[in-house]
């Protein structure tokens, strides 16, 4: 049962056109007439029947249409203008400053396998929930219909998607973050045989409605439903909602040939001006945007679609065309290119949940600028020293405050982002937020061990999820967006990176990154980090040279570590920083008991899952056995110099 069709009862293109003739003015009717694919017309018409908007606006992506949507966002109060031209502020509801994971469900039939990390709801119950909450939800509002490509037009792994919403803010964000493909939409849908549909309405936008807010994802009909919520992670389902559909497609339809990942894509210039492309996974708050911006050539900071090309290389495209980035701790010292867009005129930026001072200028925690004494932020009026009902200080900005901007605004933006052939990607990294265990960088000896690095990411919960706290496992940083069984997803990873069609010269280098090792964890007394943001450039530069066999390494049970003699010159050359040998020893020593504890954490967790490939347990067991043997001869803390031989 297709819920959208069941509720709307529009079963043909002829019926759809009758709905449009009744609901649309002449101008909008003229626009929709250029769309001929019957399935597209039916899904839009069914949404119209269910939601019952007063007006319908077909967004063609023209500058005039973009301006209409920007003006509508200001008119409805969803955004308001700031001091800098084309900058606006958006405040989400105080109780919805992140993804509502507890109210997010996959619509599932009894036989469907759904990830153990996700919520499910049977189809009949979801139907009644959607009927009760979405019927007439757009009455008195304007429905905006957008036609987008998640990826460059013509790319093998790009996916067409409809965004149907009553929120001008959601439409404004979609026009910044995705490629409006109105002119190509019919052709792209016909070529691919599918498209995604997203239906959203904020309703009355009231805190008291949040318990009834829902995000539904129907894998069978590739349709999302979202209502009574406002935060972009819950409403702009072109993003993580459709990412889930793309993951499902990669795992269950194109296993071993395609992947859909929660990864940045960035290019690093090496010796003689060569460019080596990286893709890297990291949970929110673990340095993904920082890593993407550290590259010389920027393609994306959040999502990646990848496939094995005919020449035996791995190619990546970014399904997005913009950044929806966390701004906490973004500053001139660590993020100069991003700060240029945020603090200099000439760019379009949507801010969310930051502090706005009396001069209509945004401020946020960690920007290293003089803070204002008072202003308006995510919880209302704010002044320095203000506390909440429990006496806890209220920060200047919410930890999940964001900026939305176009990738083309960035000084290191690479036009290859629009190349339908993608970028040839050699290096894949997996980052966590690990205070006491793993070194800053280590490399898997082969692709299977690389998959295990991704499977074993450990992170700290961040403000991106409402109510989340503590340290948690975060497999591949993609776990929240894997619809099916983790065992199937892991099998797809082993098959893809181990695919025999990948030519020897394009074999992937797969590595772990960890920027969050603390002084205290390495014999010190403070919680300060042992590294700095700018060190990221060195870790990436070393990996670039490793991939081209221009750097040595130390072989260890967890993978290959860099040599001090290779790192010290890179620190000096790339970031003009001394790198003392004692710091190297602290960062790259193996604390064996900590690593074994992490391995056992993963073994225990994966033992509870069904159909996990045995290769994972073989690799973890081998690593643990080798670490225990090393401990017998070298002790519980092993310096890198003790492993060089």
């Amino acid at each position: 049962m297709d819920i959208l069709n069941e509720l709307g009862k529009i079963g043909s293109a002829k019926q759809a056109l009758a709905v449009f003739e009744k609901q649309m003015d002449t101008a909008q009717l003229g626009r929709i007439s250029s769309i001929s694919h019957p399935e597209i017309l039916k899904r839009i018409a069914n949404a119209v029947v269910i939601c019952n908007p007063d007006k319908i606006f077909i967004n063609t992506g023209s500058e005039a249409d973009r301006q209409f949507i920007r003006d509508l966002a200001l008119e409805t109060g969803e955004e308001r203008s700031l001091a800098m031209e084309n900058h606006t502020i958006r405040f989400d509801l105080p109780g919805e400053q992140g993804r509502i994971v507890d109210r997010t469900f996959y619509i599932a039939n009894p036989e469907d396998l759904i990830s153990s990390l996700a919520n499910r709801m049977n189809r009949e119950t979801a139907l009644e929930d959607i009927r009760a909450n979405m019927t007439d939800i757009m009455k008195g509002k304007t429905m905006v219909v957008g036609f987008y490509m998640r990826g460059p037009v013509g790319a093998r792994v790009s996916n067409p998607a409809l965004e149907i919403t009553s929120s001008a803010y959601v439409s404004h964000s979609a026009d910044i973050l995705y490629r409006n493909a109105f002119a190509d939409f019919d052709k792209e849908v016909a070529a691919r045989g599918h498209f995604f549909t997203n239906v959203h309405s904020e309703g009355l936008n009231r805190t008291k409605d949040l318990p009834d807010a829902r995000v539904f994802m129907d894998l069978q009909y590739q349709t999302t439903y979202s209502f009574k919520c406002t935060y972009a992670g819950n409403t702009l389902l072109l993003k993580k909602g459709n990412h889930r559909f793309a993951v499902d497609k990669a795992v269950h339809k194109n296993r071993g040939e395609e992947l859909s990942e929660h990864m940045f894509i960035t290019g690093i210039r090496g010796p003689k001006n060569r460019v080596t492309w990286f893709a890297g996974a990291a949970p929110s708050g673990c340095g993904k945007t920082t890593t993407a911006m550290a590259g010389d050539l920027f393609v994306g900071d959040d999502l990646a679609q990848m496939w094995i090309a005919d020449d035996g290389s791995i190619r990546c495209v970014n399904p997005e065309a913009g950044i929806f980035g966390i701004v906490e701790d973004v500053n001139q010292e660590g993020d100069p290119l991003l700060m240029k867009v945020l603090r200099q005129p000439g760019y379009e930026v949507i801010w969310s949940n930051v502090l706005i001072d009396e001069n209509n200028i945004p401020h946020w925690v960690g920007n290293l600028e003089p803070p204002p004494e008072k202003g308006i932020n995510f919880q209302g009026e704010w002044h320095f020293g203000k506390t909440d009902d429990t006496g806890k200080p209220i920060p200047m900005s919410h930890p999940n405050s964001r900026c939305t901007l176009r990738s083309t605004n960035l000084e290191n933006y690479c036009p290859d982002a629009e190349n339908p052939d993608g970028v040839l990607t050699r290096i894949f990294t997996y980052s966590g937020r690990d205070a006491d265990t793993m070194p800053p960088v280590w490399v898997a000896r082969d692709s299977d061990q690389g998959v295990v690095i991704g499977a074993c990411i450990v992170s700290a919960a961040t403000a991106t999820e409402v109510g989340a706290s503590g340290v948690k496992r975060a497999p591949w940083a993609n776990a929240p967006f894997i619809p099916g069984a983790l065992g199937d997803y892991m099998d797809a990873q082993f098959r893809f990176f181990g695919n025999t069609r990948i030519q020897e010269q394009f074999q992937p280098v797969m590595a772990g990154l960890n920027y969050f090792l603390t002084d205290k964890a390495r014999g010190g007394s403070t919680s300060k980090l042992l590294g700095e943001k700018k060190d990221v450039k060195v870790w990436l530069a070393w990996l670039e040279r490793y991939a081209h066999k221009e750097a040595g390494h130390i072989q260890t049970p967890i993978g290959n570590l860099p040599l001090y003699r290779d790192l010290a010159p890179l620190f000096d050359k790339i970031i003009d920083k001394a790198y003392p040998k004692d710091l190297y020893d602290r960062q790259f020593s193996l604390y064996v008991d900590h690593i074994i504890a992490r391995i056992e954490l993963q073994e225990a967790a994966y033992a509870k899952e069904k159909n996990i490939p045995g290769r994972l347990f073989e690799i973890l067991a081998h690593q643990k056995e080798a670490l225990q043997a090393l401990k017998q001869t070298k002790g519980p803390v092993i310096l890198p110099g003790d492993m060089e031989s």
Side-chain angles (χ1 to χ4, degrees):
M1 177 184 61
D2 178 358
I3 290 174
L4 193 64
N5 187 63
E6 178 70 17
L7 294 177
K9 305 294 186 186
I10 302 300
S12 70
K14 184 177 179 180
Q15 289 176 309
L17 291 172
V19 170
F20 300 150
E21 288 171 0
K22 181 181 177 182
Q23 298 276 136
M24 292 183 183
D25 63 28
T26 304
Q28 303 310 312
L29 196 58
R31 294 178 176 201
I32 199 67
S33 66
S34 67
I35 301 294
S36 61
H37 197 294
E39 293 303 317
I40 301 170
L41 298 174
K42 287 190 310 187
R43 298 202 83 65
I44 297 171
N46 276 312
V48 170
V49 171
I50 296 164
C51 300
N52 192 22
D54 278 15
K55 298 177 182 178
I56 301 170
F57 183 78
I58 303 299
N59 178 12
T60 68
S62 69
E63 183 50 41
D65 284 4
R66 292 176 186 270
Q67 190 59 51
F68 172 85
I69 290 167
R70 287 192 288 260
D71 292 342
L72 184 62
L74 298 174
E75 180 185 315
T76 59
E78 294 182 84
E79 300 174 37
R80 72 177 176 86
S81 295
L82 296 178
M84 197 169 287
E85 186 180 6
N86 290 326
H87 282 223
T88 57
I89 177 63
R90 157 77 181 184
F91 288 116
D92 293 303
L93 295 170
E96 194 210 349
Q97 304 282 323
R99 295 198 309 272
I100 49 173
V101 292
D102 59 328
R103 284 152 283 173
T104 297
F105 300 89
Y106 289 103
I107 297 172
N109 303 321
E111 68 276 11
D112 293 337
L113 287 176
I114 298 297
S115 170
S116 62
L117 303 176
N119 303 318
R120 63 187 290 156
M121 186 180 290
N122 70 58
R123 192 166 291 277
E124 290 74 17
T125 305
L127 168 70
E128 294 310 318
D129 202 341
I130 293 167
R131 187 200 307 274
N133 286 282
M134 296 203 84
T135 299
D136 295 337
I137 195 171
M138 293 188 190
K139 197 168 184 179
K141 297 176 179 289
T142 297
M143 172 188 280
V144 181
V145 183
F147 304 76
Y148 298 95
M149 285 299 292
R150 298 185 77 258
V153 171
R156 185 187 299 183
V157 293
S158 291
N159 294 297
L162 289 173
E163 182 68 43
I164 303 170
T165 181
S166 60
S167 169
Y169 161 68
V170 168
S171 289
H172 186 189
S173 299
D175 268 356
I176 292 175
L177 292 172
Y178 295 92
R179 301 159 180 88
N180 191 304
F182 178 77
D184 296 300
F185 203 73
D186 258 352
K187 179 185 68 177
E188 290 290 311
V189 171
R192 296 165 202 291
H194 76 275
F195 63 96
F196 304 153
T197 304
N198 306 286
V199 187
H200 161 261
S201 180
E202 72 282 13
L204 297 176
N205 195 21
R206 304 179 300 189
T207 297
K208 72 177 187 178
D209 293 332
L210 280 177
D212 297 323
R214 295 287 185 274
V215 176
F216 285 113
M217 291 156 296
D218 188 343
L219 292 171
Q220 186 171 346
Y221 293 97
Q222 296 182 315
T223 301
T224 71
Y225 306 87
S226 169
F227 50 81
K228 298 184 178 178
C229 45
T230 68
Y231 170 66
N234 302 319
T235 59
L236 182 60
L237 292 170
L238 273 164
K239 194 169 179 67
K240 296 300 168 56
N242 288 177
H243 176 57
R244 290 170 167 97
F245 294 164
V247 171
D248 187 64
K249 173 172 163 276
V251 171
H252 294 112
K253 293 183 180 179
N254 297 317
R255 189 177 302 190
E257 294 291 330
E258 174 185 331
L259 288 178
S260 181
E261 297 300 301
H262 196 218
M263 286 182 167
F264 67 79
I265 306 169
T266 198
I268 301 294
R269 291 195 187 278
K272 298 182 180 178
N273 212 34
R274 73 171 174 237
V275 175
T276 304
W277 289 97
F278 286 60
S284 293
C286 293
K288 188 161 59 166
T289 298
T290 294
T291 310
M293 294 301 299
D296 300 293
L297 298 168
F298 178 91
V299 166
D301 79 319
D302 194 36
L303 300 176
Q305 300 279 128
M306 61 188 72
W307 72 100
I308 300 171
D310 294 340
D311 66 356
S313 66
I314 299 175
R315 302 278 174 159
C316 289
V317 295
N318 180 9
E320 302 184 300
I323 292 177
F324 176 60
I326 294 173
V327 293
E328 183 165 293
D329 293 331
V330 169
N331 53 64
Q332 188 63 42
E333 180 181 309
D335 309 278
L337 299 182
L338 190 53
M339 285 295 288
K340 180 178 179 180
V341 178
L342 299 180
R343 284 304 195 208
Q344 294 185 20
Y347 307 102
E348 182 179 8
V349 179
I350 306 174
W351 298 87
S352 62
N353 307 320
V354 294
L355 178 80
I356 304 301
D357 69 15
E358 295 175 298
N359 298 313
N360 268 341
I361 295 172
H363 300 267
W364 61 95
V365 173
N367 63 12
L368 303 184
E369 297 171 344
E373 289 292 320
K374 59 182 179 178
I376 303 292
N377 72 0
F378 60 95
Q379 51 81 60
E381 291 188 3
W382 179 88
H383 60 266
F384 185 78
K386 186 174 183 178
T387 58
D388 62 19
D389 293 340
T390 66
K392 185 179 178 181
I394 297 173
M396 178 167 58
S397 61
H398 192 274
N400 196 31
S401 53
R402 300 271 182 162
C403 62
T404 303
L405 53 95
R406 301 182 197 283
S407 296
T408 52
N409 294 158
L410 298 167
E411 202 170 89
N412 61 342
Y413 169 77
C414 179
D416 281 342
E418 294 304 318
N419 185 349
D421 292 331
V423 294
L424 194 162
T425 310
R426 288 291 316 281
I427 301 173
F428 297 84
T429 66
Y430 301 91
S431 307
R433 197 177 184 97
D434 183 345
D436 62 5
T437 303
M438 301 306 285
V441 60
W442 70 103
V443 182
R445 295 187 200 174
D446 57 40
S447 66
D448 281 1
Q449 291 190 23
V451 170
V452 172
I453 291 176
C456 295
I457 292 175
V458 174
S459 179
T462 70
T464 60
E465 297 180 2
V466 175
S469 61
V471 174
K472 63 177 184 177
R473 294 170 58 248
W476 296 282
N478 213 14
F481 316 111
I482 299 170
L486 278 178
D488 289 343
Y489 179 84
M490 188 183 296
D491 181 63
Q493 296 281 323
F494 280 125
R495 290 195 192 194
F496 181 86
F497 287 109
N499 194 312
T500 56
R501 290 206 306 110
I502 300 174
Q503 295 296 306
E504 183 177 354
Q505 68 268 31
F506 302 133
Q507 285 295 316
V509 170
M510 303 176 74
L513 292 171
N514 176 34
Y515 310 145
F516 298 95
L517 201 60
T518 64
D519 170 63
K520 191 174 183 179
R522 291 296 188 258
S525 58
T526 73
S527 59
K528 290 179 60 177
L529 298 182
L530 283 182
E532 301 176 86
K533 263 191 177 185
K534 62 183 180 180
D535 296 354
V536 174
K537 288 181 175 290
V538 175
W539 311 135
L540 299 184
W542 179 78
L543 284 170
E544 197 276 340
R545 284 142 179 86
Y546 179 98
H548 292 278
K549 297 181 171 50
E550 296 171 359
H553 64 268
I554 302 168
Q555 195 173 89
T556 81
I558 64 167
N560 297 333
L561 303 182
L563 294 163
Y564 177 72
R565 66 171 180 263
D566 290 330
L567 288 180
L570 291 175
F571 269 90
D572 180 57
K573 179 181 179 181
I574 293 173
I575 59 173
D576 192 25
K577 176 181 172 180
Y579 187 56
K581 178 68 161 54
D582 67 312
L583 177 57
Y584 167 79
D585 286 341
R586 294 177 76 197
Q587 288 183 317
F588 287 95
S589 291
L590 298 187
Y591 281 59
V592 176
D593 293 333
H594 287 188
I595 299 173
I596 289 174
R598 286 288 164 87
I599 290 173
E600 291 175 344
L601 168 75
Q602 301 292 347
E603 288 176 323
Y606 279 118
K608 298 174 184 176
E609 299 281 347
K610 294 180 180 179
N611 301 321
I612 295 294
R615 185 69 178 131
L616 171 93
F617 297 107
E618 290 173 10
I619 290 170
L620 292 178
H622 179 76
Q623 288 180 348
K624 185 163 66 171
E625 182 182 353
L627 286 164
Q628 289 167 335
L630 203 56
K631 180 181 175 182
Q632 292 296 317
T633 59
K634 302 290 186 180
V637 179
I638 308 170
L639 291 168
D642 293 338
M643 295 180 284
E644 282 194 49
S645 59

